[in-house]
Amino acid sequence: MTRANPLDPVALLGADQQHIATRAQLRRLGVPSGTIAHRLRPGGPWQQVLPRVICLQSGRLTIHQRLRAALAYAAPKGTAPQAGEVLLTGFAVLADAGLPSAGHPADIGTVDVLIPRQRRVCEREFVRIFRAGGEMPGGFERDDGLWSTTVARALADLAPKETGQRRFRALCAEAVQRRHCELGELLDQLLTRPGALGLPHVARVVEDLTAGVRSAVEGEARELLAHAGLPEPLWNPVLFLDGRFLAVPDAYWPHACVVLEIDSRAWHLRPADHERGLTRANRLTTAGLPVVRTTPVRLRRDPAPVLHELTALVTTGPHGPHARVTWRRAR
């Protein structure tokens, strides 16, 4: 008669959880403490990756294993992990969503985890802890079986620690532009965070998004225009010529019928977006609207010629088919 291998349940657990298990799970399966210690010995087949969290194989962890290990570590000690009781947030969520400014998921060095406010968990190794200000938000289960916050919540959690204005501005703009969250949802998450508007980079992002800005470079251009004393344009409005759709330019001064287009492959999400931008500018010019075109590099290094051209056009308008152009604000 063949005796059952007592480690078979462990192999099944490992296969189901990408070889990440807690010490409590192994003990519940009947694995003796001595066996666990022996397998965790230097050069052994298992490795301790975080307190109470074990990888049932040797070698470097995959990004999925790191994410799963972080959630297992942040879960209540000694209990079976419950769905949604701790959530991935921050860059782990934003990189998985594909936001360019968040980097590739495989390059994430720190895993951000959201836990209930009353829980006492220390940051260890590669795990960074965020605590919910009130009730834990309702997360969702990803395709890989891990539980996550929404993109909007991940941005709001990250806001107090992501003090670099350019990257945080880019992350928020990419999230809205790529439709990973609705503008209203993101604004609600940012505005309901206590003290958020007291953070200059958050206040600036809220102003930009409300104004219609949808990229980091547009936010930078908005600051330049304000410092130059130009009136606030409409950002990303939908323009109509004789009631028919014309284009969605980067910026438009309705009283002068003047357009600003910022051309750059680096700030368009895909090459096709860049080509559409060029086509859009040509269509605007053909319709008779004066279009001032520039690049992010030119705006940063030598904005004076662009600002001079815009000032001349905006102050001498209206131009072209002013009476025939109508518009709708960005959504």
Side-chain angles (χ1 to χ4, degrees):
M1 181 176 178
T2 303
R3 176 174 293 182
N5 185 344
L7 292 182
D8 278 349
V10 176
L12 292 174
L13 176 69
D16 186 52
Q17 298 184 175
Q18 293 288 309
H19 305 287
I20 297 296
T22 64
R23 188 176 292 270
Q25 286 179 313
L26 294 173
R27 295 293 291 121
R28 280 194 295 271
L29 291 176
V31 182
S33 297
T35 300
I36 295 175
H38 180 70
R39 287 177 171 264
L40 288 174
R41 71 189 186 280
W46 292 357
Q47 57 180 310
Q48 183 99 32
V49 294
L50 287 164
R52 307 186 306 278
V53 182
I54 296 168
C55 181
L56 308 179
Q57 60 182 196
S58 59
R60 185 176 181 179
L61 270 63
T62 66
I63 180 58
H64 180 91
Q65 288 175 321
R66 286 164 62 86
L67 298 178
R68 185 176 286 276
L71 289 176
Y73 164 70
K77 181 180 179 180
T79 64
Q82 301 297 313
E85 65 183 345
V86 294
L87 302 170
L88 294 173
T89 190
F91 280 109
V93 175
L94 305 180
D96 183 72
L99 302 190
S101 296
H104 192 277
D107 297 329
I108 294 175
T110 301
V111 179
D112 297 329
V113 179
L114 182 67
I115 65 173
R117 177 178 53 184
Q118 67 274 15
R119 292 282 318 287
R120 301 180 69 178
V121 180
C122 298
E123 295 186 348
R124 295 292 295 269
E125 308 298 332
F126 53 85
V127 181
R128 183 165 62 167
I129 298 297
F130 291 79
R131 286 178 170 78
E135 295 294 323
M136 281 285 287
F140 68 94
E141 187 175 9
R142 307 187 333 173
D143 292 341
D144 58 11
L146 303 182
W147 280 77
S148 169
T149 64
T150 63
V151 166
R153 177 60 191 244
L155 286 166
D157 285 337
L158 197 61
K161 296 189 177 182
E162 186 61 21
T163 56
Q165 179 170 302
R166 180 176 293 180
R167 183 163 68 164
F168 187 67
R169 170 187 270 163
L171 288 168
C172 292
E174 290 163 2
V176 174
Q177 190 177 32
R178 284 179 169 243
R179 302 183 188 280
H180 288 293
C181 63
E182 295 294 330
L183 173 61
E185 178 191 6
L186 178 54
L187 290 176
D188 284 345
Q189 287 287 350
L190 292 175
L191 293 173
T192 56
R193 184 61 53 94
L197 287 181
L199 301 172
H201 65 289
V202 176
R204 173 59 66 182
V205 163
V206 169
E207 290 179 10
D208 285 347
L209 292 174
T210 304
V213 167
R214 295 295 179 266
S215 73
V217 70
E218 289 174 2
E220 294 172 17
R222 183 171 182 253
E223 290 181 351
L224 276 174
L225 297 176
H227 291 156
L230 282 161
E232 176 87 0
L234 300 174
W235 293 95
N236 295 287
V238 183
L239 300 188
F240 301 88
L241 182 65
D242 299 327
R244 301 183 65 179
F245 172 76
L246 176 60
V248 182
D250 293 327
Y252 175 67
W253 284 264
H255 72 280
C257 200
V258 173
V259 166
L260 170 65
E261 285 284 80
I262 307 169
D263 302 325
S264 171
R265 287 187 181 275
W267 293 101
H268 286 80
L269 300 178
R270 296 172 294 273
D273 293 331
H274 178 72
E275 298 302 323
R276 279 195 292 271
L278 296 178
T279 301
R280 179 179 65 224
N282 291 334
R283 190 164 59 245
L284 288 162
T285 302
T286 301
L289 282 77
V291 178
V292 176
R293 295 176 63 175
T294 187
T295 65
V297 172
R298 188 181 177 193
L299 282 176
R300 293 186 187 123
R301 294 182 180 176
D302 187 22
V306 175
L307 295 174
H308 179 75
E309 185 178 1
L310 282 172
T311 301
L313 287 169
V314 169
T315 56
T316 58
H319 305 278
H322 174 263
R324 299 165 56 199
V325 177
T326 55
W327 51 271
R328 185 180 70 217
R329 288 187 179 274
R331 295 180 177 177

